[in-house]
Amino acid sequence: MVVGGGISGLAAAYTLARARQAGAPIEEYLLEGSPRWGGVIRTEKFDGFVIEGGPDSFLTEKPEAAALCRELGLASHLLGSNDRERRTYILHRGRLEPLPDGLYMLVPTRLWPLVRTPLLPARSKLSALAELFRRPSGDRADESAASFVGRHFGPAMVQNIADPLLAGVYGGDSENLSAPAVLPRFWRIEKETGSLTRGVLRARRAHRREAASAPLFTTLDGGLEELVRALVERLEPSRLLLGQKVEVLETGARQPKGRPRWVVRVSEGAAIEADAVVLALPAYESARLLARADPVLAQRLGEIPYSSAVTVAFGFESKDVKLAPGHGLLVPRQERRRLLAVTFVHAKFPRRAPPGKLLLRCFLGGTRDPEIIGASDEEIVGWARKELAAILGLRATPLFHRLTRSPQAMAQYTVGHLERLRAIEARVKQLPGLSLSGNAYSGIGISDCIRSGQAAAARALSV
Ligand SMILES: Cc1cc2nc3c(=O)[nH]c(=O)nc-3n(C[C@H](O)[C@H](O)[C@H](O)COP(=O)(O)OP(=O)(O)OC[C@H]3O[C@@H](n4cnc5c(N)ncnc54)[C@H](O)[C@@H]3O)c2cc1C
């Protein structure tokens, strides 16, 4: 039994269905509480626009999402980002400054752009050069992303680059997010190489050919909901239960083999028994369902905080808008704006807007602005337009707007996350037949969620 029909639960259900078709003696079901599949993935298409309300793409270097798309017959629909125009701007003292070329996430790998960028003061540039000579150090168990990046490149790199990047990905705050959890690769490099810049350059040399040819992001021609539809189409309709919110998960009577079955209680009072249950839900929701079966586990799950996201997409006539070439912009906290980021969607991917039109998507909310989720549509759209006018000088009337709220959707891997995960895993091990998946544990991206759904299904099959 899989509970939760977002991408994690769909990936788990699909893995189970494949196993049954290959002869595994199982009867799998997928329960989703809302009236639609896909969770935060939502695509709307009209008049030649492809508008994402949730995620718009996956990182190409994480292979699970593209591999699943290929398996589902969507290979010809995969669409790479238009990296020739891959320039991201940072709002810095009211002006848009490009991120320096050669910046890999937050690690500078090219000298001249680093020297020239106005985003970092001279002292940070010197820290970045000195960083090249750091020796391996690995004595810390955990630390905030701000402290980690600050140790390597100084505070301006944190404020002007790392914090807005993390706010864009996690809707989170670099002072609270855990470096080993949200920057695991850099955390490893520090232990092995000492210098992040040396480590990144070394890895680049090893993968030069692939890195040169692969786009940074991949999406689907018709939007990410194509993946959701393809998964649902591969599942048997009689095993898909939509609009079935699970309220409680309990252990039932002991079976002859000595192991109790799980009892899944649904909102309408129905109780379904299962040997194995995959909870593909936000951690706070898994905590609620497990409060009776294992209060300690429920408490640890409830400790994983979440932030909310709001996106507003605007369509414009191209002739009305003058934009610098690039994929979008990020807004650091100290600029005191409500916008966290803006994606120039028409430039990031081909065929997102019809000829002669532009599509911009604004991100708001996150831990920086938790109240905005409760504001009215009019207020949010008004704020977004006002800030687009202030930042981009964009005063034209949009052709349309689309506002999407994703409440409590982004898990925050705060300091202590890995320790919390260990405690959760130890507890889950004591509950045979229970598996957890979703964005609360080991990666928030689409590929991470698919991997976690597949792994949870594999655990359920081993019962
Ligand atoms: C605005 C936004 C932009 C993002 N951008 C990107 C991006 O560009 N690239 C990327 O890789 N990732 C991105 N992410 C992250 C990624 O999209 C999510 O982490 C991922 O889709 C989460 O999938 P999930 O299945 O774990 O959870 P969800 O999508 O939250 O699905 C959980 C499902 O469980 C259901 N449910 C909840 N409670 C119950 C219950 N009691 N009973 C039954 N069903 C229940 C919900 O209705 C929901 O359908 C973005 C996220 C957001 C919100």
Side-chain angles (χ1 to χ4, degrees):
M1 172 85 50
V2 180
V3 185
I7 191 64
S8 307
L10 285 165
Y14 175 69
T15 307
L16 293 172
R18 292 289 312 265
R20 176 174 46 75
Q21 285 152 10
I26 57 166
E27 296 286 333
E28 83 287 356
Y29 289 89
L30 174 60
L31 271 75
E32 163 58 42
S34 78
R36 57 176 289 282
W37 301 108
V40 298
I41 299 177
R42 211 181 252 272
T43 309
E44 186 190 350
K45 292 203 277 183
F46 78 98
D47 284 354
F49 287 95
V50 180
I51 302 166
E52 301 283 12
D56 72 350
S57 56
F58 36 85
L59 269 177
T60 308
E61 69 175 9
K62 294 195 174 184
E64 292 82 359
L68 183 58
C69 290
R70 287 194 192 95
E71 190 177 327
L72 295 166
L74 295 173
S76 62
H77 299 220
L78 290 169
L79 197 62
S81 50
N82 177 8
D83 288 355
R84 259 177 310 179
E85 280 200 25
R86 198 174 87 213
R87 170 149 289 203
T88 300
Y89 298 88
I90 299 275
L91 187 66
H92 183 61
R93 299 184 179 142
R95 285 169 51 100
L96 289 178
E97 304 288 356
L99 277 175
D101 285 346
L103 196 74
Y104 178 77
M105 293 267 297
L106 39 85
V107 177
T109 60
R110 286 179 53 194
L111 181 63
W112 192 233
L114 173 72
V115 170
R116 291 185 45 163
T117 182
L119 289 172
L120 299 172
R123 191 190 294 181
S124 289
K125 293 175 186 174
L126 289 174
S127 303
L129 293 177
E131 206 273 344
L132 268 168
F133 303 99
R134 282 182 81 102
R135 311 298 331 151
S137 62
D139 46 347
R140 290 176 170 81
D142 201 349
E143 165 179 37
S144 74
S147 157
F148 175 74
V149 175
R151 278 197 293 110
H152 284 264
F153 303 113
M157 181 70 97
V158 176
Q159 287 160 16
N160 297 347
I161 295 180
D163 192 67
L165 272 173
L166 290 169
V169 177
Y170 285 89
D173 173 348
S174 63
E175 293 285 347
N176 295 326
L177 293 171
S178 151
V182 300
L183 302 170
R185 180 185 299 178
F186 296 140
W187 188 256
R188 234 180 4 257
I189 291 178
E190 180 183 70
K191 282 193 182 355
E192 290 162 9
T193 316
S195 158
L196 304 186
T197 307
R198 274 202 338 270
V200 167
L201 289 172
R202 188 178 293 173
R204 277 242 179 112
R205 274 196 296 276
H207 300 285
R208 182 160 285 168
R209 211 169 293 145
E210 300 135 60
S213 58
L216 184 60
F217 300 104
T218 303
T219 189
L220 286 161
D221 210 12
L224 286 182
E225 221 174 299
E226 268 197 89
L227 171 57
V228 171
R229 275 198 303 276
L231 281 164
V232 171
E233 275 164 20
R234 296 295 181 96
L235 300 171
E236 261 182 41
S238 61
R239 296 167 189 275
L240 295 176
L241 306 171
L242 207 53
Q244 301 286 331
K245 187 164 185 206
V246 174
E247 292 299 340
V248 181
L249 192 60
E250 308 173 318
T251 43
R254 250 171 216 292
Q255 295 301 294
K257 271 202 225 158
R259 205 167 38 72
R261 297 187 91 195
W262 288 97
V263 181
V264 180
R265 291 195 189 279
V266 182
S267 43
E268 287 139 24
I272 310 166
E273 288 203 10
D275 290 315
V277 176
V278 174
L279 292 183
L281 303 171
Y284 54 84
E285 188 63 3
S286 296
R288 189 177 74 84
L289 304 192
L290 286 164
R292 254 187 255 165
D294 189 333
V296 176
L297 174 59
Q299 194 197 334
R300 297 316 304 253
L301 287 167
E303 285 166 9
I304 299 175
Y306 275 73
S307 73
S308 302
V310 176
T311 61
V312 193
F314 292 103
F316 287 99
E317 294 283 356
S318 314
K319 64 177 172 47
D320 292 342
V321 179
K322 279 221 165 1
L323 288 177
H327 284 187
L329 62 96
L330 298 168
V331 183
R333 175 183 308 271
Q334 64 272 16
E335 296 294 315
R336 300 187 175 280
R337 298 271 176 202
R338 288 200 103 141
L339 282 184
L340 299 177
V342 182
T343 305
F344 305 165
V345 183
H346 57 277
K348 187 171 173 185
F349 293 106
R351 299 188 288 282
R352 268 15 201 175
K357 310 275 197 290
L358 303 183
L359 183 61
L360 301 186
R361 192 160 80 128
C362 302
F363 287 81
L364 304 103
T367 51
R368 224 190 268 175
D369 193 0
E371 284 86 33
I372 201 165
I373 192 90
S376 71
D377 287 15
E378 274 170 351
E379 282 175 308
I380 298 174
V381 171
W383 289 322
R385 283 192 61 188
K386 212 166 129 200
E387 297 209 349
L388 285 178
I391 296 169
L392 291 169
L394 209 168
R395 289 187 176 79
T397 305
L399 299 167
F400 63 85
H401 69 259
R402 289 290 182 278
L403 186 149
T404 310
R405 289 179 175 77
S406 302
Q408 298 295 299
M410 312 285 274
Q412 301 295 299
Y413 298 177
T414 52
V415 174
H417 184 74
L418 298 184
E419 164 53 29
R420 223 168 282 133
L421 276 197
R422 277 190 286 275
I424 289 170
E425 273 160 23
R427 208 72 203 176
V428 168
K429 263 198 195 134
Q430 319 230 333
L431 296 168
L434 180 72
S435 330
L436 302 174
S437 87
N439 73 11
Y441 310 105
S442 301
I444 195 172
I446 301 279
S447 275
D448 303 307
C449 291
I450 290 172
R451 191 176 57 248
S452 94
Q454 291 166 339
R459 273 197 303 278
L461 284 167
S462 70
V463 164

